[in-house]
Amino acid sequence: MRHVIALDVGGTGMKAALVGADGALLHRARRPTGRERGPDAVVAGILDFAVELRDHGVRQFGGPAAAAGVAVPGIVDEANGVAAYAANLGWRDVPLRALLADRLDAPVALGHDVRTGGLAEGRIGAGRGADRFLFVALGTGIAGAIGVEGRVEAGAHGFAGEIGHIVVRPGGIPCPCGQHGCLERFASAAAVSEAWAAACGDPEADAADCAKAVMSGDPNAVRVWQTAVDALADGLVTALTLLDPRTLVIGGGLAEAGETLFTPLRDAVRRRVTFQKLPEIVPAALGDTAGCLGAGLLAWDLLDTTDGTEVTP
């Protein structure tokens, strides 16, 4: 059975799958990144994991994967196949595509984790059928993927979609990027967790706890939550003014609050638009499989563009 390897590398763990031509996940596996052992160990772990997946494909389906797609965090030079920088993995300028292609003896596509997840949401998830969509992941930080006619725009330098660094509160909280008042300092899951822990006096409290308290009517929780929703709406209206998406897909940890987030967010965005067309605002549909599914799509796209023949990455 013809299949590809899909690998989604996170800060602490890796999710992987063998993906069939119809998009079916034929085999799934997980491994820790081993980042506590340093960046070289992380790279070695990725290569070894990929080889395990190839060998499983040979045993199970009678032949090796036709290609591989890999999604990684941080700054990614997709054109040259280089994982340029990832703070949580400690690596710089890793020629990951070439390393994997050499170990697998197959073509490899390398992508940014959020853009890859956004690709899956746009083609086969919540944004399916939309010619223009914006995928926004509300996690430890905030990042986006700009979808145009079935592909995701990386930008001239690989930075497209970094809407977490739109300044929504000038002169506000310092951000590690060097600016003050960035969106992700107010509306990420990490920011809500920090604000709610301070408000309720429990250092272990997180954004999920805040959402539960909102549902129970806690006024402090409502205040913290509304602060995040207002900041998020300001950032999203800036993005939709520039991009004019037909569908706005929201994922990540904060989106797990469901309508506790989406009802006030839709209202807040609606109040802010003037001449802009209001996009449909929907929750992501693929959950934590989006990265693997997107990596699989990258691999199949690579084969499609080469008419199924192997090329030197």
Side-chain angles (χ1 to χ4, degrees), residues 24 56 58 88 98 144 191 193 207 228 238 250 257 273 285 290:
H56 182 88
V58 171
N88 55 4
S193 295
T238 297
I250 309 292
V273 297

Side-chain angles (χ1 to χ4, degrees), residues 192 195-201 209-228:
V192 173
W196 177 233
C200 73
D209 297 321
C210 185
K212 291 175 185 175
V214 169
M215 289 187 284
S216 70
D218 185 304
N220 284 330
V222 171
R223 173 181 54 80
V224 168
W225 197 257
Q226 194 61 50
T227 296

Side-chain angles (χ1 to χ4, degrees), residues 42-138:
V42 173
V43 174
I46 293 170
L47 298 177
D48 290 344
F49 194 17
V51 171
E52 285 181 33
L53 293 162
R54 180 198 63 192
D55 292 347
H56 182 88
V58 171
R59 292 191 303 271
Q60 193 72 26
F61 305 115
V70 185
V72 297
I75 300 170
V76 184
D77 181 349
E78 296 175 7
N80 293 305
V82 175
Y85 175 70
N88 55 4
L89 294 176
W91 64 28
R92 286 182 181 273
D93 298 325
V94 179
L96 196 54
R97 184 176 68 189
L99 293 171
L100 280 163
D102 182 63
R103 287 290 295 273
L104 297 173
D105 192 26
V108 175
L110 183 69
H112 180 272
D113 56 353
V114 174
R115 289 196 292 267
T116 301
L119 176 67
E121 285 289 352
R123 283 201 200 167
I124 60 177
R128 186 172 185 173
D131 55 347
R132 302 287 191 280
F133 71 89
L134 176 63
F135 170 70
V136 179
L138 308 175

